[in-house]
Amino acid sequence: MSNESQDRVQDRVQEQAREAIRGSQGQHRGRQFALWMGALIIGAILGWLGIPALNQLFDFIATVFTRLFQFIAVPTIALAVITTLSALGAKKETGRIFAHAVTYTLLTTICAAAIGLVLYLWIAPGNLPVDLINSGVSNVPQKLEKVTYYDHFLSVIPNNMLQPFLSGNVLSVMLIAAAVGLALAFMPKTENRAVLLKGLLGLQEVLFTLIRALLWILPVGILAFSAQLSAQIEAGVIVGALGKYTLVILGGNLIQVFIVLPIFLVLRGLNPIYVFRKMAPAIAVALFTKSSAGTLPVTLASAEQRLNVHPQVSRFVLPICTTINMNGCAAFILVTSLFLMQNGGFDLSIGTMIAWLFVAVLAAIGNAGVPMGCYFLTLSLMSGIGAPIGIMGIILPIYTIIDMIETAENVWSDSAVCAMTDHDLASELDAQPAPAQH
């Protein structure tokens, strides 16, 4: 047999092997998805039964998983940004990836806030009784009444290297990681730089190994999170006491999730059902953990392993989107601010509302992807202008369900931005994946 014939045979064998691998991976992912859905349903049923011993066990497991996500999230953000910028910082692709990510982030976030404004004007929530507002003051976290947005912005600027990592300040970690990554990209290509990069990439591989292990036991976490939520609903902890206000918030979120973001994907030539299905694990984890930063390890793994996004895109776009792409947060800040100002007797002209739309978008971009981040930001903004913050105490009991849906929406939006950026720049990215690809 000639060498040319042998090469053709080998090529066919390799292609058949790749098809077999893809088929087995598809079957594995199908079983995995079915397992996650089964855990979700079983957990909801067990939580609804209201068995105290089981509920305590589920609370313990949910807390363990939340701590594990927090443990992995901050170093994952830092290493993903550092290694990506160190490789891309001096390349033209960096600016293109960043520009696409920021453009899609701004467009989707403005749309989310605009939908919230339209629903607010249409549904028109009324004012709350004054005595109810006054009673809500006692529920407002007292130490946050005097926190201004200026203080929030100042807290992002790090004054030492370790504190942001110890406190979990995501924005500060991003600033440090971006500075280190760009420094590595533009510093002289010395042996010390190469050794340092090799060590960072090795650490990143260790983190991705831990993430794979976490994904393997994730059904247990989903079972516990689902049972915990079901038990809270059954006990009446989560109630929709504010009626029209809650309808505006949740209605806007659902429109963004099921209509607006799919339209963005379709306009870019992507199948929204396919993208949603591949990113479903990350969206589910976000729903229960209420932290887009904490969900980042699962979001990265889903994007690369299931959606096949190029690592140069996923490891640059997703950490950035975790901190700036806050669709649900922008809508919450706008609607809640308008609701508080309306109850405080502020003059709400159309011009004022539109101005607050952009304030909400900018505030959301500066928000850290942590539980109740939007709540604290809104409280800071409203206390600064003298709005009746007692309403924030009334909102607090129902914020759990709002925060869950908003976080899932944020991660779904992150996934959409990542998928669209990857699709737009597919022909310009390196053929070889990053060293830590798995």
Side-chain angles (χ1 to χ4, degrees):
M1 183 182 293
S2 67
N3 289 338
E4 186 177 346
S5 299
Q6 288 179 339
D7 289 342
R8 283 200 299 269
V9 171
Q10 289 176 352
D11 289 342
R12 283 199 299 271
V13 171
Q14 289 176 355
E15 180 59 32
Q16 289 172 354
R18 283 193 291 268
E19 289 179 1
I21 291 171
R22 283 196 294 267
S24 64
Q25 287 176 339
Q27 293 173 358
H28 169 71
R29 289 169 183 167
R31 289 195 299 270
Q32 194 178 50
F33 182 75
L35 184 61
W36 284 332
M37 289 300 101
L40 187 68
I41 295 169
I42 293 171
I45 295 171
L46 291 176
W48 193 263
L49 294 176
I51 303 173
L54 267 182
N55 288 345
Q56 289 179 0
L57 175 63
F58 290 138
D59 287 344
F60 173 77
I61 295 173
T63 303
V64 168
F65 268 84
T66 300
R67 293 175 69 90
L68 289 175
F69 287 133
Q70 292 170 339
F71 167 73
I72 294 179
V74 173
T76 298
I77 291 170
L79 287 174
V81 173
I82 291 172
T83 55
T84 303
L85 280 180
S86 66
L88 293 177
K91 296 182 180 180
K92 63 180 182 180
E93 291 95 335
T94 308
R96 298 291 303 278
I97 294 173
F98 182 75
H100 278 70
V102 171
T103 300
Y104 287 133
T105 290
L106 287 173
L107 288 174
T108 56
T109 307
I110 290 172
C111 282
I115 289 168
L117 176 57
V118 170
L119 286 180
Y120 187 86
L121 292 172
W122 179 43
I123 296 176
N127 289 344
L128 298 175
V130 175
D131 56 342
L132 181 61
I133 296 175
N134 293 334
S135 68
V137 174
S138 60
N139 294 327
V140 176
Q142 296 301 312
K143 66 177 182 178
L144 293 167
E145 280 188 54
K146 299 177 182 177
V147 176
T148 65
Y149 196 68
Y150 167 81
D151 295 326
H152 169 75
F153 179 79
L154 198 60
S155 70
V156 171
I157 309 300
N159 60 357
N160 68 63
M161 183 67 76
L162 294 179
Q163 186 58 35
F165 290 88
L166 297 176
S167 63
N169 190 325
V170 178
L171 289 175
S172 295
V173 170
M174 281 283 293
L175 285 176
I176 294 171
V180 172
L182 289 172
L184 285 169
F186 292 101
M187 70 184 290
K189 305 299 187 286
T190 62
E191 182 180 349
N192 289 337
R193 176 187 179 276
V195 171
L196 179 58
L197 269 177
K198 188 172 289 187
L200 291 173
L201 290 169
L203 284 173
Q204 192 175 44
E205 290 180 9
V206 170
L207 276 179
F208 274 100
T209 302
L210 292 174
I211 291 169
R212 287 199 298 272
L214 195 57
L215 287 176
W216 190 76
I217 60 171
L218 187 59
V220 178
I222 290 177
L223 179 74
F225 285 126
S226 178
Q228 188 182 51
L229 174 63
S230 180
Q232 288 176 334
I233 295 174
E234 195 274 336
V237 174
I238 302 172
V239 292
L242 297 181
K244 289 185 176 181
Y245 162 82
T246 307
L247 179 61
V248 172
I249 294 286
L250 298 185
N253 289 337
L254 294 176
I255 290 172
Q256 183 76 3
V257 168
F258 293 110
I259 298 177
V260 176
L261 291 174
I263 287 175
F264 270 96
L265 289 167
V266 168
L267 291 175
R268 301 310 305 147
L270 293 165
N271 183 340
I273 297 175
Y274 175 81
V275 176
F276 188 92
R277 186 162 55 87
K278 294 300 182 183
M279 297 304 298
I283 296 168
V285 170
L287 183 71
F288 295 117
T289 61
K290 295 173 283 187
S291 171
S292 50
T295 307
L296 181 62
V298 183
T299 313
L300 277 168
S302 299
E304 293 180 17
Q305 296 178 9
R306 296 168 59 84
L307 194 57
N308 295 321
V309 172
H310 198 291
Q312 289 182 353
V313 173
S314 61
R315 297 179 193 183
F316 185 59
V317 171
L318 289 174
I320 290 174
C321 281
T322 294
T323 56
I324 70 171
N325 188 33
M326 297 287 178
N327 289 188
C329 187
F332 176 82
I333 291 173
L334 176 62
V335 172
T336 305
S337 297
L338 294 178
F339 189 54
L340 263 67
M341 286 188 288
Q342 173 187 304
N343 278 268
F346 287 69
D347 179 30
L348 292 179
S349 64
I350 293 296
T352 301
M353 292 182 177
I354 293 175
W356 271 95
L357 184 151
F358 289 101
V359 169
V361 169
L362 292 175
I365 288 174
N367 178 45
V370 295
M372 294 191 71
C374 299
Y375 181 91
F376 295 151
L377 250 182
T378 308
L379 179 56
S380 298
L381 288 169
M382 291 297 98
S383 62
I385 66 170
I389 60 172
I391 296 176
M392 297 301 294
I394 301 170
I395 292 171
L396 191 57
I398 64 169
Y399 187 74
T400 297
I401 190 68
I402 292 173
D403 200 14
M404 291 176 65
I405 295 174
E406 283 178 351
T407 307
E409 176 187 346
N410 290 338
V411 171
W412 169 221
S413 181
D414 294 348
S415 305
V417 170
C418 184
M420 290 187 291
T421 302
D422 182 70
H423 177 267
D424 292 350
L425 302 177
S427 61
E428 301 179 28
L429 298 173
D430 297 336
Q432 286 294 332
Q437 169 82 350
H438 51 272

